[in-house]
Amino acid sequence: MSPLSSSAPGVRPAAFRFRCIGCGDLSDHASQDFRCSHCSDLLEITYPRWKEAGSQTQDLRDTWRQRRLSQSAIDLSGVWRFRDLLPALESDEQAITLREGNTPLYELPQCARVAGVPRLFAKHQGLNPTGSFKDAGMTVAATFARLAGFRWVACASTGNTSASMAAYAARGGMRSLVLVPEGKISWSKLSQALDFGAVTCQLRADFDGCLRLLQELVLRAPVYQLNSINPFRLEGQKTLALELLEQLDWQPPDHIIVPGGNLGNSSAIGKALVEMRSLGLISHLPKLSVIQAEGANALVRTLREAGGKSLVSVQAETRATAIRIGNPASWKKAVHALEATGGVCEQVSEIEIALAKAEIGAEGIGCEPASAVTLAGLKKLVKQGFVKPEESVVLVLTGSLLKDPDFTMEFHRGDLFKDGDDKGAASGELNRLRRPPIVLDATLDAVIRTLEQAEKS
């Protein structure tokens, strides 16, 4: 396959260009590894004609609102509904869509009290078609893979990417190849990729090893890479921020807090916020902050030990499998996003993650462990004074509760932590939130006694 071009069949000419985030080189073409031919840094997508749209802010808002009334396939997508700010297609029918996006914004009053803020919201990307935020990016990237003539798409994954890619490949009539680390992926996520027809390889390596192998593969075989270094992925994922701001009537919150794994999502949201301000859609930027697990804290260490100038890789280990990444590909883009918005990066422990996940669950809102780092991190940022008590906050929940049910069951049964790991001050809080299943004789009296005991507690 030839390198992807912004003038490929089905793509509106000159609608976008590829720009290197390092040297700034502009090109109409991207190599298979989506790296700059001059300095090898990552590429992003830029739009040369956007200056013409500066006076059309209200028109854009009205257009997006009107599309919500449409029944066309492309308008039913919460991603392609914002296609005016995406790489343009020649025909609406070219989009591969599963009606992704359109995710709810929930208020979390109990979690707000726990964290010490007046109002707290959660943008739940786990309610996408395959259960994670990956779908918002995959609809765009898969569409352009097919337009470029690829029959095979591939990804390295900790789970969510593989599920999403396999679904969109199947929907678009393409084949998919999944590289996952053996024994380091939730069966719930892997089962999705299998059901959607992916050729699935469990490699004796961690995620970073899988990604390195994939990057070698795409340079030697006609396979299109759909990891988040693919800039089309980030263009789709940035619509999360557009939809969020629309739901807030274009009034930015003070803070948006996201989990940090391979750092594509935080990069995409940051890019969207900067673009929205430049187009006049919002008056100012919210602070975008990234939260990582202590055992997978590459960005935390990169900022603290290297001033954000060079990546400090780590050997990742956390039960929050979606962010178990030690060598994040989009770290430089994420650093730029934090600098542009004035955000920070913080880390949280495994116990803090488990506690926050249960607290979110107690609101009737389920999420996977990686999503819960946002609430755990918010608590820390409030205590540090970075988030002020009167400020508004939106947490981005990236995955569904059903993505990692083993974590949830082990937590409630008291099996999540090794002996002694959950002792101390956190133990009482954890026990308060645990709801293990109760085995009873099948008698009315036994059930009534259980109900009475639950009422007392």
Side-chain angles (χ1 to χ4, degrees):
M1 282 291 168
S2 59
L4 188 67
S5 170
S6 61
S7 57
V11 181
R12 196 177 302 160
F16 65 91
R17 301 192 78 189
F18 298 101
R19 178 172 59 196
C20 174
I21 65 169
C23 68
D25 180 67
L26 288 169
S27 175
D28 292 328
H29 305 276
S31 63
Q32 302 284 48
D33 61 355
F34 294 105
R35 291 191 176 274
C36 176
S37 59
H38 299 288
C39 70
S40 298
D41 225 325
L42 292 180
L43 302 178
E44 65 180 0
I45 288 175
T46 185
Y47 302 87
R49 294 181 176 176
W50 269 14
K51 291 181 180 178
E52 305 167 11
S55 61
Q56 302 173 10
T57 298
Q58 190 56 48
D59 291 343
L60 285 173
R61 292 175 178 172
D62 291 344
T63 296
W64 296 335
R65 189 180 303 111
Q66 284 300 314
R67 285 176 184 161
R68 296 183 68 132
L69 304 176
S70 168
Q71 290 300 306
S72 68
I74 198 166
D75 289 333
L76 290 171
S77 165
V79 172
W80 291 105
R81 186 164 63 86
F82 298 101
R83 57 191 174 273
D84 311 84
L85 304 189
L86 297 176
L89 305 173
E90 286 189 344
S91 167
D92 290 350
E93 287 70 33
Q94 293 168 330
I96 302 172
T97 175
L98 290 168
R99 299 192 184 184
E100 55 289 319
N102 301 309
T103 58
L105 182 66
Y106 293 119
E107 188 164 4
L108 303 178
Q110 297 178 49
C111 291
R113 288 193 293 273
V114 168
V117 293
R119 297 189 75 184
L120 179 62
F121 296 89
K123 178 67 170 164
H124 204 330
Q125 293 297 94
L127 297 183
N128 270 291
T130 74
S132 85
F133 74 99
K134 306 287 187 177
D135 295 347
M138 207 60 72
T139 179
V140 177
T143 294
F144 280 89
R146 188 170 67 176
L147 286 174
F150 284 87
R151 290 186 60 250
W152 281 89
V153 293
C155 72
S157 180
T158 58
N160 286 332
T161 299
S162 63
S164 183
M165 182 196 70
Y168 282 86
R171 191 69 174 173
M174 295 178 288
R175 301 291 306 280
S176 58
L177 173 69
V178 167
L179 306 180
V180 296
E182 184 182 26
K184 299 291 185 179
I185 178 174
S186 164
W187 289 113
S188 299
K189 299 174 183 178
L190 187 59
S191 67
Q192 291 180 279
L194 300 177
D195 220 32
F196 300 143
V199 175
T200 304
C201 303
Q202 292 183 277
L203 304 185
R204 297 184 183 94
D206 59 10
F207 168 81
D208 302 304
C210 293
L211 185 57
R212 282 192 297 271
L213 184 60
L214 175 65
Q215 290 173 323
E216 294 175 14
L217 172 68
V218 298
L219 295 176
R220 294 181 57 184
V223 175
Y224 186 81
Q225 181 173 187
L226 285 182
N227 277 92
S228 59
I229 65 170
N230 182 321
F232 292 103
R233 274 273 310 274
L234 301 198
E235 291 306 291
Q237 285 170 213
K238 78 182 185 184
T239 59
L240 178 165
L242 290 163
E243 187 174 80
L244 168 63
L245 267 296
E246 184 184 59
Q247 289 168 321
L248 294 173
D249 198 25
W250 303 103
Q251 300 302 310
D254 295 300
H255 297 270
I256 298 175
I257 301 179
V258 299
N262 213 24
L263 301 176
N265 207 32
S266 50
S267 303
I269 295 171
K271 185 175 188 289
L273 294 174
V274 171
E275 290 175 350
M276 280 191 278
R277 184 180 63 175
S278 69
L279 289 169
L281 289 165
I282 56 175
S283 59
H284 63 278
L285 296 175
K287 292 182 174 67
L288 176 68
S289 293
V290 176
I291 311 298
Q292 296 192 297
E294 285 181 355
N297 62 350
L299 184 60
V300 172
R301 295 189 59 182
T302 293
L303 292 168
R304 294 179 182 177
E305 300 172 24
K309 303 301 182 184
S310 60
L311 177 64
V312 178
S313 299
V314 301
Q315 186 66 43
E317 187 54 53
T318 174
R319 284 296 301 268
T321 56
I323 55 174
R324 188 193 282 149
I325 298 171
N327 188 35
S330 296
W331 70 270
K332 193 174 290 186
K333 290 184 179 181
V335 169
H336 291 169
L338 296 184
E339 290 175 345
T341 65
V344 297
C345 186
E346 186 54 85
Q347 61 185 352
V348 292
S349 70
E350 297 296 293
I351 288 179
E352 289 170 325
I353 294 171
L355 181 60
K357 182 180 179 305
E359 288 168 337
I360 295 170
E363 297 259 26
I365 309 297
C367 67
E368 71 174 346
S371 298
V373 301
T374 55
L375 177 59
L378 171 61
K379 295 178 193 177
K380 283 193 167 182
L381 297 181
V382 170
K383 289 179 180 177
Q384 294 166 5
F386 180 76
V387 175
K388 305 297 188 296
E390 69 280 3
E391 290 182 323
S392 56
V393 182
V394 175
L395 309 179
V396 176
L397 306 182
T398 48
S400 162
L401 168 71
L402 300 178
K403 287 286 188 174
D404 200 343
D406 289 346
F407 183 103
T408 305
M409 292 304 299
E410 289 178 30
F411 171 81
H412 287 288
R413 288 172 172 166
D415 300 330
L416 186 61
F417 300 103
K418 297 176 182 177
D419 291 342
D421 284 357
D422 60 347
K423 302 302 181 185
S427 181
E429 292 182 275
L430 294 172
N431 288 333
R432 177 177 57 82
L433 289 164
R434 284 182 175 128
R435 298 290 184 269
I438 303 167
V439 179
L440 299 173
D441 292 330
T443 67
L444 181 60
D445 286 344
V447 174
I448 290 176
R449 282 196 300 272
T450 302
L451 183 63
E452 291 171 345
Q453 291 169 359
E455 180 69 23
K456 294 176 182 177
S457 62

